[in-house]
Amino acid sequence: MIFISEIGLNYNGNIGLAYELIRQSKYSGADIVKFQLGWRAAKEDINHIDFDMLSNLKKWADFFEIELMFSIFNEEAYDLISMFSFSKYKIASRTLVDNFDLVKKIVDKGMDTYISLGMWTDSELPFVGYDNVHYLWCKSLYPTTPWDMLDLPKDFIHSQYSGYSDHSIGIDLPLLAIARGATIIEKHFTLDKSDTTIRDHALSATPEEYLCMTQIGKEIYKKMRLGI
């Protein structure tokens, strides 16, 4: 069972807040903490991550013993992250649609690659026969309401999806996905859901919520493995 704490842009361009979000993600039971590389990344923009900042994020994640992962949005982001040694990559469905050749290049590296399929409309999977590719079911609405989620897979075990990338308010839908066989959960993480700097704060989990989700989710997963 893998829990990905999606910080994304929720650090609000504040490097000190990024440190605290990594720390709290670890304390909240996340296995992986994730940022976005190449999205809103101009020098004056909120998510400008250069070599030095990326080095700090890696150092801090190593210190708190939590794995660091990035969503790769463009060639410049890929060139930057290639200067480091990462074992996993994330691909947003937007990148899959807008820059398929880049995604193919990343997948062909053979590293574990998690791909959200929220914006993918083709009936066929983008990559078949790759053991390193793990697909996440996703609804690309921010936030999703219960009425948007009526097509959440009823059985992840026998589906093409390994897990669920969540944009809902609360933690109940990630837990429902685990009960249906999802083994990877990606959930946005925040210290303040009322923060309006980035829209994602509202659909994120606080440390208390995230810890509750990981604790209950791991128990559900273990009981399912027993055959209950």
Side-chain angles (χ1 to χ4, degrees), residues 95-112:
T95 310
L96 184 63
V97 172
D98 292 345
N99 200 339
F100 187 85
D101 289 342
L102 171 63
V103 179
K104 178 68 162 56
K105 184 192 298 185
I106 292 171
V107 166
D108 283 341
K109 285 191 69 174
M111 304 294 189
D112 280 336

Side-chain angles (χ1 to χ4, degrees), residues 106-133:
I106 292 171
V107 166
D108 283 341
K109 285 191 69 174
M111 304 294 189
D112 280 336
T113 306
Y114 302 93
I115 301 178
S116 292
L117 292 178
M119 294 184 181
W120 183 255
T121 57
D122 198 307
S123 59
E124 300 293 328
L125 291 174
F127 305 101
V128 178
Y130 287 80
D131 293 336
N132 61 310
V133 173

Side-chain angles (χ1 to χ4, degrees), residues 48-73:
H48 178 66
I49 298 177
D50 57 17
F51 182 89
D52 290 340
M53 182 174 174
L54 202 157
S55 298
N56 278 326
L57 295 174
K58 181 71 167 64
K59 178 172 64 177
W60 299 339
D62 289 345
F63 178 75
F64 289 113
E65 298 180 336
I66 185 169
E67 188 166 4
L68 178 64
M69 184 168 69
F70 288 89
S71 294
I72 310 302
F73 280 85

Side-chain angles (χ1 to χ4, degrees), residues 18-46:
Y19 178 96
E20 179 64 2
L21 285 162
I22 292 171
R23 187 172 76 101
Q24 291 296 334
S25 293
K26 173 64 177 182
Y27 295 162
S28 300
D31 303 288
I32 298 171
V33 62
K34 187 174 80 68
F35 290 82
Q36 298 176 3
L37 202 59
W39 179 249
R40 295 189 61 180
K43 193 166 186 179
E44 299 79 17
D45 214 334
I46 194 170

Side-chain angles (χ1 to χ4, degrees), residues 17 26 66 87-88 98 122 137 164 168 190 201 203 220:
L17 185 57
K26 173 64 177 182
I66 185 169
S87 63
K88 296 180 176 66
D98 292 345
D122 198 307
W137 192 90
Y164 167 51
S168 70
T190 185
H201 286 288
L203 55 88
I220 293 173

